[in-house]
Amino acid sequence: MSENNEIRPLSLLSRRRVAVRRIKVFGLMLLSTVWASVKWAQFMPTDVNSWIHWILIILFALTFGWIALYFWSALFGFWELVRPKRYEGISRPPAELPLTTQTAVLVPTYNENPVEIYARVLAMAQNLSDRGAVGHFDFFVLSDTTNPDIWVKEEALWLETKARFPEGVNLFYRHRPKNTARKSGNIEDFCVRWGSGYDFMLVLDADSLIGAATMIQMVRLMQVNPTTGIIQAPPQIVNAESFFARMHQFTGKVYGKIITAGLAYWQAWDSNYWGHNAIIRTQAFIDSCGLPVFKGKAPFGGHILSHDFVEAALIRRAGWLAWMLPELKESYEECPPTLLDFAVRDRRWCQGNLQHIRILLSQKLHPISRIHFIVGIMSYLSSLLWCLFLLFGIGIAVWRYFYPPAYFTQVKELFPAWPVFNVWGTLTLFGISMLMLFFPKILGVALVFGHPAKRFGGRVGLLLSFVTECLFSALTAPIMMLFQSRFIVEILLGMDSGWKTQNRADDTSWSLAFRRHGIQTLIGIGVTVLVYQYAPALFYWTLLITVGPMLSIPLSVLSSRVSVGRRFKKMRIFVTPEERKKPYILRRTQKNISLLKAAVGPDDASAMLQNQRYLSAHIYLLSINGPEPDFEKQLAVRTRRKIQANIGGAVWPLDTEEKRYLLYQTDLLKEQALLLSIRE
């Protein structure tokens, strides 16, 4: 694929029209940022040191520019949504276009709840069967799981789910002994082993779910757009129960569509890839998306964490097109249930996005791909910039208390040099910034305020949801600013985030909240006292920033509670259409969860492998999953001694690593099975 022929099938959208769109969005962003920065330079105190003056201007320009891009992109997204026409550019297939290709649906997992994963996989397969699309989709559960109990349960559930799978749809399971490069390595492993047998791969996350109509439409779109490499379906959050998760579920449904429509407006065929809920042309991915391994140690070295942005850039560099289509519905995911879990995921994303600094100057990348990297980097760096901007501002105010301005700079000067500070002008800029942040939310509410409001708890419920979300966001924004600022500092100091399993259910305990938010609370109290003592004129304005950190502990704990989420639901706050009337694919998933829970039983590997069928499946899968990891000799000796000493005692008194070693030893497993059969 080359840059010269990639535009030929795009009869609905020309390069010139896309260029005009980008000039509008980025031109308005630039103009508004320059105007606001000039005004800020005029409004600042005149007696500020020149180098501090320029630092404040630069910090303001960078942070305001980020707000301006969000605002103008959302504004054009709103305009696209109210226009009575479909998203332009990509060719649409006929409604009954037959499927002539093979698609692999990939579900990577890492120590996740296997019952829920297989329940979603089974629901998608059943939905495809209902629509007569069997024979064109196969499902692959690609496991990097290290927990031995979950590993064995994944295998058992593979057997149980496969037995219930509709005829004509295959279900494969693969467990990697070594999870090299994490999810991107897992996808690469699939491409090496099975990729040549499939035209497309539909990449999901462990919590992803897509309706059959959307899956079929994505395949048809790929069939009639032969120069397209990626089509991203924007995911919608579902199944939220805690207050925190339900708030994000509501914001994604009401505000999210404006954001995605705005991105699609100026990105066109240069859209990004979010790592899941997207269909990819397999051969294009294999040919162009080999990821580099950076020299040096993490956090900046090693394998790339945020691989999706890089893969989108590489596939565009090879000449293939990448689209994000807001029109694609029934694309779902779940949200971290607590503020702390959200921060844990953010820490990994922050490290991955900062790694992109090393890719920005790579050769032959498309300019829009470079913008994607810059936007991703700035999504975290802006927090540190805001933090520095606020610290400089408060620092200047406190400095004035100890070092008042000199009104007469010369000994015999007739008139004093009064320092000038335009308070009302500064407040006006602050108000404009806040309006640009909140106005897209107002537009999102406006879109559903008519007849659709019934599906959001009615107009009163919708307005209460909007006010509650704005209040909670205002309180938690400084908390996330402190978290993300700390993340950047940690990364710059060489601290690696690793890759932790995502919590899907547990709420936040008070003790954990004290440990994680204690310093933030002290910072909030300290800054408030400092400003009250030495810069009282700024006290009430500073409270807008410090109240959130001061209340971070109770905010974190209470927002994590399912009981709080349910109470707000009864008040019709954060209600979404999917809650009022669950889509078929979600209802079917819930039925499958109950079905598979009853089929498999206990979670412990020792109990599960007492089932001869599960044990045989495990030993069989060992033979095709590749060589075992490199275990320490001491671990092997210790485990074998425990097994031998256990012949007359209790079953498997082993720790996690010993269990994991045992699960790779067929001789010990068979010996253990004989022992169990004798005891029976």
Side-chain angles (χ1 to χ4, degrees):
M1 186 65 54
S2 68
E3 289 290 338
N4 294 328
N5 64 13
E6 70 173 21
I7 203 69
R8 283 187 298 181
L10 301 175
S11 58
L12 301 176
L13 199 60
S14 68
R15 286 181 181 273
R16 185 166 176 258
R17 289 180 65 188
V18 172
V20 169
R21 290 180 176 187
R22 292 168 181 172
I23 290 171
K24 286 179 183 177
V25 173
F26 288 96
L28 288 168
M29 180 203 81
L30 184 61
L31 286 173
S32 54
T33 302
V34 170
W35 175 85
S37 300
V38 169
K39 290 298 181 183
W40 169 240
Q42 294 172 349
F43 297 156
M44 273 194 298
T46 55
D47 62 330
V48 173
N49 184 286
S50 61
W51 67 270
I52 294 179
H53 184 91
W54 281 107
I55 287 176
L56 286 172
I57 291 174
I58 292 169
L59 289 174
F60 177 86
L62 290 172
T63 51
F64 190 90
W66 176 249
I67 294 172
L69 177 60
Y70 161 76
F71 172 78
W72 291 112
S73 180
L75 210 61
F76 283 104
F78 173 78
W79 174 244
E80 287 294 295
L81 290 173
V82 297
R83 296 168 68 195
K85 60 193 304 184
R86 291 191 303 179
Y87 179 74
E88 295 178 305
I90 191 168
S91 299
R92 295 320 194 282
E96 299 302 323
L97 180 73
L99 301 182
T100 58
T101 52
Q102 292 297 122
T103 299
V105 183
L106 310 185
V107 187
T109 177
Y110 175 70
N111 294 326
E112 299 274 1
N113 184 332
V115 171
E116 295 182 0
I117 290 172
Y118 281 101
R120 285 187 280 265
V121 167
L122 181 56
M124 287 185 280
Q126 291 167 333
N127 201 191
L128 285 169
S129 178
D130 293 341
R131 290 185 171 268
V134 296
H136 298 281
F137 293 87
D138 288 335
F139 287 79
F140 289 78
V141 175
L142 306 174
S143 173
D144 271 346
T145 293
T146 55
N147 183 307
D149 296 324
I150 297 177
W151 173 15
V152 173
K153 192 163 188 177
E154 287 174 355
E155 294 175 336
L157 281 162
W158 170 62
L159 286 178
E160 299 296 344
T161 307
K162 192 175 177 65
R164 294 164 173 78
F165 240 51
E167 188 176 350
V169 187
N170 295 313
L171 173 62
F172 300 98
Y173 173 81
R174 154 82 167 143
H175 179 267
R176 284 202 304 166
K178 298 179 182 179
N179 56 348
T180 306
R182 305 174 181 90
K183 181 180 176 180
S184 62
N186 212 345
I187 301 298
E188 180 184 354
D189 181 76
F190 163 81
C191 290
V192 171
R193 288 172 172 267
W194 297 288
S196 61
Y198 295 93
D199 301 280
F200 314 125
M201 54 185 187
L202 184 56
V203 181
L204 306 179
D205 262 354
D207 61 344
S208 295
L209 184 65
I210 299 184
T214 301
M215 296 170 71
I216 294 168
Q217 178 67 0
M218 293 171 82
V219 171
R220 285 174 173 162
L221 283 165
M222 293 294 276
Q223 288 183 178
V224 300
N225 291 275
T227 57
T228 291
I230 298 176
I231 295 176
Q232 175 72 59
Q236 168 65 42
I237 296 172
V238 291
N239 297 329
E241 293 186 318
S242 70
F243 174 91
F244 181 85
R246 293 192 72 250
M247 184 195 73
H248 279 273
Q249 181 175 267
F250 171 82
T251 59
K253 189 68 177 179
V254 178
Y255 316 148
K257 57 185 176 182
I258 290 180
I259 304 304
T260 54
L263 292 174
Y265 172 78
W266 62 266
Q267 291 176 2
W269 53 73
D270 299 316
S271 290
N272 215 342
Y273 164 47
W274 298 350
H276 58 94
N277 292 45
I279 191 167
I280 301 174
R281 195 172 298 274
T282 310
Q283 195 57 51
F285 187 88
I286 292 171
D287 292 340
S288 59
C289 291
L291 295 177
V293 179
F294 292 137
K295 293 182 180 179
K297 296 181 179 179
F300 288 102
H303 294 282
I304 297 173
L305 289 182
S306 295
H307 56 90
D308 40 13
F309 280 35
V310 182
E311 288 159 348
L314 292 176
I315 215 163
R316 277 300 291 121
R317 186 172 72 172
W320 299 94
L321 309 186
W323 299 90
M324 179 175 62
L325 299 182
E327 68 195 49
L328 293 173
K329 310 301 181 184
E330 284 201 329
S331 169
Y332 303 117
E333 65 173 345
E334 295 183 358
C335 175
T338 73
L339 178 63
L340 289 180
D341 290 307
F342 191 86
V344 168
R345 188 181 69 176
D346 235 28
R347 173 64 172 84
R348 186 179 76 242
W349 286 0
C350 179
Q351 180 172 322
N353 283 15
L354 291 186
Q355 280 183 312
H356 295 164
I357 295 172
R358 301 184 66 170
I359 304 174
L360 264 176
L361 301 179
S362 299
Q363 294 181 354
K364 299 180 181 179
L365 287 183
H366 193 282
I368 297 299
S369 296
R370 298 187 199 277
I371 290 176
H372 289 320
F373 289 135
I374 293 171
V375 169
I377 293 166
M378 281 299 299
S379 64
Y380 294 96
L381 192 58
S382 60
S383 290
L384 181 60
L385 295 175
W386 266 113
C387 193
L388 292 173
F389 180 78
L390 294 170
L391 288 175
F392 266 97
I394 293 171
I396 290 171
V398 173
W399 179 270
R400 284 178 176 279
Y401 178 87
F402 293 101
Y403 299 95
Y407 300 111
F408 294 93
T409 57
Q410 298 181 19
V411 177
K412 296 183 178 181
E413 194 168 19
L414 181 59
F415 298 103
W418 297 107
V420 178
F421 176 45
N422 192 329
V423 176
W424 289 110
T426 302
L427 294 180
T428 301
L429 275 183
F430 175 78
I432 291 172
S433 300
M434 292 301 101
L435 178 63
M436 293 176 76
L437 281 173
F438 284 97
F439 193 64
K441 298 183 179 184
I442 296 171
L443 294 178
V445 172
L447 281 177
V448 298
F449 196 70
H451 179 70
K454 294 180 180 180
R455 297 182 294 150
F456 292 88
R459 292 180 181 178
V460 174
L462 181 63
L463 289 175
L464 286 174
S465 301
F466 170 70
V467 172
T468 305
E469 188 278 326
C470 288
L471 178 61
F472 187 81
S473 294
L475 290 171
T476 55
I479 298 172
M480 290 308 301
M481 177 188 71
L482 292 175
F483 267 133
Q484 292 173 352
S485 298
R486 194 192 81 192
F487 296 161
I488 293 171
V489 172
E490 288 177 350
I491 292 166
L492 293 176
L493 293 175
M495 299 172 66
D496 181 23
S497 69
W499 192 288
K500 300 177 178 65
T501 304
Q502 180 68 58
N503 171 42
R504 305 285 182 191
D506 297 333
D507 55 19
T508 301
S509 65
W510 286 99
S511 59
L512 179 60
F514 271 103
R515 291 197 303 272
R516 296 294 301 278
H517 293 290
I519 293 177
Q520 293 177 347
T521 304
L522 293 176
I523 289 173
I525 294 172
V527 171
T528 302
V529 171
L530 183 72
V531 172
Y532 180 79
Q533 183 71 31
Y534 300 113
L538 297 178
F539 176 71
Y540 291 106
W541 294 105
T542 307
L543 279 180
L544 296 174
I545 302 163
T546 58
V547 166
M550 285 192 289
L551 297 176
S552 58
I553 293 173
L555 281 174
S556 186
V557 171
L558 295 176
S559 66
S560 74
R561 298 283 193 260
V562 171
S563 58
V564 176
R566 289 173 179 167
R567 192 169 302 168
F568 274 80
K569 184 178 180 181
K570 288 181 180 179
M571 298 165 61
R572 296 187 296 168
I573 294 177
F574 300 147
V575 174
T576 61
E578 287 78 12
E579 283 186 325
R580 291 177 63 86
K581 185 179 180 181
K582 275 198 172 185
Y584 169 81
I585 192 73
L586 293 178
R587 298 197 306 271
R588 194 137 199 179
T589 299
Q590 286 301 122
K591 290 180 181 178
N592 291 340
I593 288 175
S594 301
L595 180 72
L596 294 177
K597 272 184 179 178
V600 173
D603 293 341
D604 186 71
S606 59
M608 293 189 68
L609 290 184
Q610 293 182 48
N611 184 310
Q612 185 62 45
R613 184 163 162 259
Y614 296 162
L615 178 60
S616 299
H618 175 74
I619 293 174
Y620 165 72
L621 289 170
L622 281 180
S623 65
I624 61 175
N625 280 338
E628 67 182 66
D630 298 324
F631 291 106
E632 293 182 0
K633 187 176 180 180
Q634 290 181 343
L635 174 66
V637 172
R638 185 172 71 247
T639 305
R640 288 182 174 273
R641 284 178 178 172
K642 281 190 175 183
I643 292 294
Q644 292 167 0
N646 188 47
I647 292 176
V651 180
W652 285 20
L654 308 176
D655 62 29
T656 299
E657 280 304 303
E658 291 166 346
K659 277 187 182 182
R660 188 162 173 261
Y661 169 79
L662 175 60
L663 288 177
Y664 280 102
Q665 313 307 313
T666 55
D667 60 327
L668 291 179
L669 288 170
K670 291 175 181 177
E671 181 180 326
Q672 195 72 11
L674 285 173
L675 174 62
L676 292 171
S677 64
I678 292 171
R679 287 179 177 169
E680 289 176 358

